[in-house]
Amino acid sequence: MANSMVLVSLMALGLLMVFSTTTQVEAAARAFFVFGDSLVDNGNNNYLATTARADSPPYGIDTPTRRPTGRFSNGDALGSEPTLPYLSPELRGEKLLVGANFASAGVGILNDTGIQFINIIRMFRQLQYFQDYQTRLAELIGNDEAQRIVSDSLVLITVGGNDFVNNYFLIPFSARSRQFLLPDYVTYLISEYRKILMRLHDLGARRILVTGTGPLGCVPAERAMRSPNGECAPELQQAASLFNPQLVQMINGLNSEYGANIFIAANTQLQTSDFITNPGAYGFTTSKIACCGQGPYNGIGLCTVFSNLCSNRDEYVFWDPFHPSERANGIIVNNIVSGSTNYVSPMNLSTLLALNSDTRN
């Protein structure tokens, strides 16, 4: 069960609160669309018959209601009105104007990633839902206005970590590891990811924030299962080190082809490595031990009501064996919004939205 629930790529779920930052006024007029895996799923999987769910305590323990929402974290999104899961029956009428979240825990770039979860919204289906959403929006406000909302929106996509953890490295001699050497697998993933990003562009998205993977081998689950001394698992670290630079190169190539900075690349590997390597510098007590879990480093199994649970979530980089705490999410968000080009390129999110605002005005 522990292996089957390793849902990582260390992108901050806190990006769902990006509109509560310094860009709030500008972003308030924009819709927000989210695609990807458990790191940005805010409840779609609640409506599916799957084990990849976060709708039971103690998830959501630090939300205003102290109840789980479906997000794989201890806290919740803040700021302006959040986007609803696309599968939520509440997503109708004027709530469509805010945007929608299409993400689904367990998915990867490849369709065969996460097959153990059975009923999840794979990337091709998320894109189909985005097209369906636009039809619903056009019925509400007209085709021209629907197209404007989509083209002016901000899109977040985070996917890729599961293609390593829940596919290539899931079991010894997995089908994909027999098919590809790791460098060739990374090249294949990048080529498939490129198709997804091009499809988003075809569907009208013009401001797309793309995250890489974090340091995959450093989550408590991988330390517990793959490293006898608790160090970061080297094979997964190698995967991230191969994948992320090629992702940035591919994004730069797409921007050149389109003649505009459509895609923004967030270097989540560097961001999270900073406070994993030196947690004390960021006010954390530990980056090895998860707040909620069991076994070595609280890295075995799921986070449940029977798990060990820390009393101060803000002292932990990781909330559960696989996902960052809400405070760690916030640090990554701040870097994406206002950080240097070391963390996000070719510009940070505040700069992008300011430039777009000047263009619109």
Side-chain angles (χ1 to χ4, degrees):
M1 178 65 75
N3 269 347
S4 68
M5 283 300 292
V6 177
L7 306 168
V8 297
S9 69
L10 265 182
M11 171 56 207
L13 275 164
L15 270 169
L16 298 177
M17 69 180 187
V18 70
F19 292 166
S20 67
T21 69
T22 57
T23 62
Q24 182 174 8
V25 174
E26 160 59 17
R30 300 181 186 275
F32 188 34
F33 300 103
V34 183
F35 301 84
D37 57 24
S38 66
L39 293 160
V40 284
D41 180 358
N42 70 341
N44 276 308
N45 280 21
N46 291 357
Y47 302 94
L48 302 174
T50 177
T51 57
R53 296 166 65 130
D55 57 347
S56 299
Y59 287 98
I61 190 172
D62 295 316
T63 62
T65 64
R66 297 181 62 84
R67 295 177 180 175
T69 63
R71 294 183 64 226
F72 285 76
S73 187
N74 55 298
D76 205 351
L78 303 173
S80 62
E81 184 178 358
T83 56
L84 289 169
Y86 183 71
L87 297 184
S88 170
E90 297 180 15
L91 185 65
R92 60 183 184 273
E94 291 191 357
K95 290 186 177 180
L96 289 167
L97 302 177
V98 178
N101 185 310
F102 303 91
S104 179
V107 305
I109 296 167
L110 305 181
N111 288 335
D112 59 305
T113 293
I115 57 174
Q116 65 270 38
F117 302 121
I118 304 174
N119 194 16
I120 53 179
I121 311 171
R122 305 190 187 285
M123 288 308 304
F124 76 91
R125 183 64 66 193
Q126 291 185 31
L127 296 173
Q128 179 62 58
Y129 282 160
F130 186 35
Q131 189 171 12
D132 296 344
Y133 160 88
Q134 293 185 46
T135 299
R136 295 170 60 189
L137 187 63
E139 291 172 351
L140 179 70
I141 58 175
N143 188 63
D144 290 346
E145 184 64 10
Q147 289 183 4
R148 184 198 65 77
I149 285 178
V150 170
S151 64
D152 284 349
S153 69
L154 176 65
V155 173
L156 164 66
I157 180 168
T158 177
V159 68
N162 285 328
D163 293 286
F164 296 106
V165 177
N166 278 324
N167 194 330
Y168 194 87
F169 292 111
L170 178 62
I171 58 174
F173 308 108
S174 67
R176 287 298 189 183
S177 66
R178 294 195 307 271
Q179 181 183 11
F180 293 104
L181 296 174
L182 182 60
D184 297 327
Y185 182 65
V186 170
T187 300
Y188 176 57
L189 286 180
I190 294 295
S191 68
E192 294 300 302
Y193 204 169
R194 188 177 190 274
K195 296 174 185 177
I196 292 170
L197 297 181
M198 291 179 68
R199 180 58 179 154
L200 274 175
H201 181 272
D202 291 344
L203 290 171
R206 293 296 180 268
R207 296 167 189 84
I208 305 171
L209 178 62
V210 185
T211 73
T213 72
L216 298 174
C218 295
V219 299
E222 298 304 329
R223 292 182 190 267
M225 292 187 294
R226 297 181 184 272
S227 178
N229 57 3
E231 298 303 313
C232 299
E235 63 271 29
L236 282 161
Q237 290 295 88
Q238 181 189 10
S241 295
L242 289 171
F243 179 82
N244 289 310
Q246 290 187 45
L247 179 61
V248 173
Q249 184 179 20
M250 180 264 283
I251 287 171
N252 290 338
L254 282 176
N255 284 337
S256 295
E257 288 183 28
Y258 290 124
N261 290 322
I262 304 294
F263 303 96
I264 302 297
N267 189 339
T268 46
Q269 183 179 17
L270 177 61
Q271 293 167 11
T272 50
S273 291
D274 286 349
F275 51 76
I276 285 175
T277 302
N278 189 10
Y282 294 85
F284 294 110
T285 300
T286 178
S287 61
K288 283 190 173 184
I289 303 170
C291 170
C292 183
Q294 46 276 319
Y297 315 106
N298 277 345
I300 302 298
L302 307 178
C303 174
T304 72
V305 293
F306 304 106
S307 299
N308 301 318
L309 180 65
C310 70
S311 58
N312 187 351
R313 271 72 69 182
D314 286 347
E315 294 181 358
Y316 288 72
V317 170
F318 290 97
W319 154 246
D320 68 11
F322 326 109
H323 302 93
S325 66
E326 194 66 16
R327 183 164 175 267
N329 288 334
I331 293 173
I332 300 174
V333 169
N334 288 337
N335 282 327
I336 291 173
V337 171
S338 57
S340 73
T341 53
N342 291 330
Y343 295 109
V344 57
S345 64
M347 66 190 75
N348 63 39
L349 189 55
S350 292
T351 302
L352 172 69
L353 293 179
L355 287 173
N356 291 153
S357 179
D358 290 343
T359 300
R360 294 197 316 181
N361 294 333

